[in-house]
Amino acid sequence: MGNIFKLLFFLRKPKQYKSGPQPIYLRVTIDGQRVEMTVQRECEPSLWDDKAGRTTSTKESGRLLNAHLEGLIAKAYSNQTDLIQNQIPVTAKAIVNRLSGKPDKSRMLVSIFENHNKEMSQLVGKEYSPSTLNRYETSMQHVVNFMQWKFGVTDIDIRRINHEFLTDFNFYMRSEKKCNNNSTVKYIRNFGKIIRICLSNGWLAKDPFANFKIKVKEVERTFLSDEELQILHDKEFTMERLNQVKDIFLFSCYTGLAYIDTKNLTPANIVVGIDGNKWIFTHRKKTDSPSHIPLLQPALEIIEKYSNNPKSRNESLLLPILSNQKMNAYLKEIADCCEIDKELTYHIARHTFATTVTLSNNVPIESVSKMLGHKNLRTTQHYAKILDKKVSKDMQGLHSIYKRVDKQVAQKKFAK
């Protein structure tokens, strides 16, 4: 219900008005929003009370006019009650539409969500990845399941979506679906895009997210240390498939490329850079942002090792990479064999490049960000963590300064 609900009848002069009766209008005001409509009646200005919003005529016609206006007021409050009972936001436009006989144009949430996902599916491979589409389809299913759980329905008028809807959905995802904080935030933000579409089209009067706050909790990123990277590099397996998976994983440790970007590399992506050395020039699949990476010697050796691999040559690819699922399955086995007590997945290679290979070796974060293909530095800071040993190394100079100061103070005291 709105905090302010006002109804006012007033006369409005027509254009080029000179004399005679003027049309009567009704102004509906709810929470500062005003909408006006004609009541299809007229009144002489001399017989109209502006303060009361009624005619002062005592004739039969005057009594009928006031009765008509009273009837409109009663109907307006009845419509307000009906909207509240049906959990539809009470707006001035909704009241006026009902008074003027215009049917409410209901827009249902699921149909809007489905239309969004359908349009997204047609842009997969151009603007969106299959995983992004899958994320929105999963989000929609969560919303449908929530509505069934909360309201016993599988669709809802978008005007019923409010702050309470969001807080209940948030609770449902955490309690019933057992989602962690970041997964819950991800699904709610996906849902938020659908709400922004509704707001942009004028289908919602208020933004239900206006006072709704959720935050992603920073996740402790796993990466390989120098020692673990060396153990992995030196390990030779009897099974050739494990050696191949290990090599390609190491390639990403030394280039920072994500799985899909490594998979899509072709010999054409290897170019001579500005320094006369070999570089990778590519675009990230996820963001389509450019990524230019100078090739370190270990990465060059891996490229050379698989340059004549039948799978690579047949598919015109740089490296013979397996599916992401198979790569991760083999990496778990490799971690066990190397006694690396970490859950090894392909994406850890990207974290390792950001942290162990570059930042800990004094590569500026701006350069790391450019090589990773990030659009802003904050994303790089999310990936990269400064190692304790680098902090120790950076502090060595400061240690020396304070040792000299302490020595000088001691010498002065001794001299006294």
Side-chain angles (χ1 to χ4, degrees), residues 364-376:
I365 194 169
E366 294 81 4
S367 297
V368 177
S369 184
K370 185 174 178 63
M371 287 186 286
L372 289 174
H374 289 160
K375 291 184 176 180
N376 61 71

Side-chain angles (χ1 to χ4, degrees), residues 159-387:
R159 292 173 296 180
R160 290 180 62 184
I161 300 170
N162 52 23
H163 185 272
E164 183 182 2
F165 183 100
L166 297 178
T167 54
D168 287 344
F169 182 41
N170 181 38
F171 172 77
Y172 167 80
M173 293 301 297
R174 296 172 189 272
S175 61
E176 296 294 316
K177 302 304 291 183
K178 303 291 189 290
C179 286
N180 62 31
N181 177 78
N182 289 0
S183 293
T184 299
V185 171
K186 176 182 68 176
Y187 291 126
I188 291 177
R189 285 181 175 175
N190 290 343
F191 177 56
K193 183 183 178 184
I194 307 304
I195 297 303
R196 290 194 296 276
I197 290 171
C198 296
L199 288 165
S200 298
N201 284 287
W203 302 335
L204 279 176
K206 292 182 179 179
D207 182 3
F209 278 88
N211 296 308
F212 182 78
K213 305 296 181 185
I214 48 174
K215 279 187 177 181
V216 171
K217 292 180 181 177
E218 187 173 352
V219 177
E220 193 70 26
R221 301 287 176 175
T222 303
F223 56 87
L224 297 182
S225 65
D226 276 325
E227 293 76 14
E228 290 166 333
L229 203 55
Q230 191 61 48
I231 290 170
L232 201 59
H233 184 275
D234 295 341
K235 183 69 175 179
E236 288 296 328
F237 298 96
T238 55
M239 186 186 297
E240 186 55 36
R241 183 60 57 87
L242 288 180
N243 282 321
Q244 181 178 313
V245 170
K246 179 202 75 170
D247 288 340
I248 296 172
F249 174 79
L250 285 171
F251 176 82
S252 282
C253 287
Y254 293 117
T255 60
L257 290 173
Y259 167 81
I260 190 62
D261 299 320
T262 306
K263 184 177 186 297
N264 290 339
L265 285 179
T266 69
N269 293 119
I270 308 301
V271 301
V272 176
I274 193 171
D275 56 2
N277 296 316
K278 289 185 177 179
W279 289 47
I280 289 176
F281 272 44
T282 186
H283 278 72
R284 288 196 67 202
K285 179 74 172 178
K286 184 177 181 180
T287 60
D288 197 38
S289 53
S291 181
H292 299 169
I293 308 157
L295 282 165
L296 299 173
Q297 188 59 34
L300 285 167
E301 290 172 359
I302 292 168
I303 292 173
E304 180 61 29
K305 181 176 179 179
Y306 293 98
S307 60
N308 292 315
N309 183 275
K311 178 179 171 64
S312 301
R313 296 183 67 179
N314 290 339
E315 299 178 14
S316 299
L317 296 175
L318 189 68
L319 297 169
I321 191 167
L322 304 176
S323 70
N324 197 22
Q325 186 178 9
K326 286 183 178 179
M327 290 289 290
N328 286 330
Y330 280 119
L331 283 170
K332 286 180 174 59
E333 187 177 344
I334 289 170
D336 290 338
C337 293
C338 295
E339 297 183 352
I340 295 174
D341 190 22
K342 291 174 181 175
E343 188 176 347
L344 211 56
T345 63
Y346 199 91
H347 205 63
I348 286 176
R350 192 162 164 82
H351 302 316
T352 301
F353 175 79
T355 307
T356 307
V357 174
T358 55
L359 284 177
S360 63
N361 286 310
N362 300 317
V363 177
I365 194 169
E366 294 81 4
S367 297
V368 177
S369 184
K370 185 174 178 63
M371 287 186 286
L372 289 174
H374 289 160
K375 291 184 176 180
N376 61 71
L377 210 57
R378 289 183 64 186
T379 308
T380 313
Q381 290 168 338
H382 181 68
Y383 270 84
K385 301 198 178 300
I386 306 299
L387 302 178

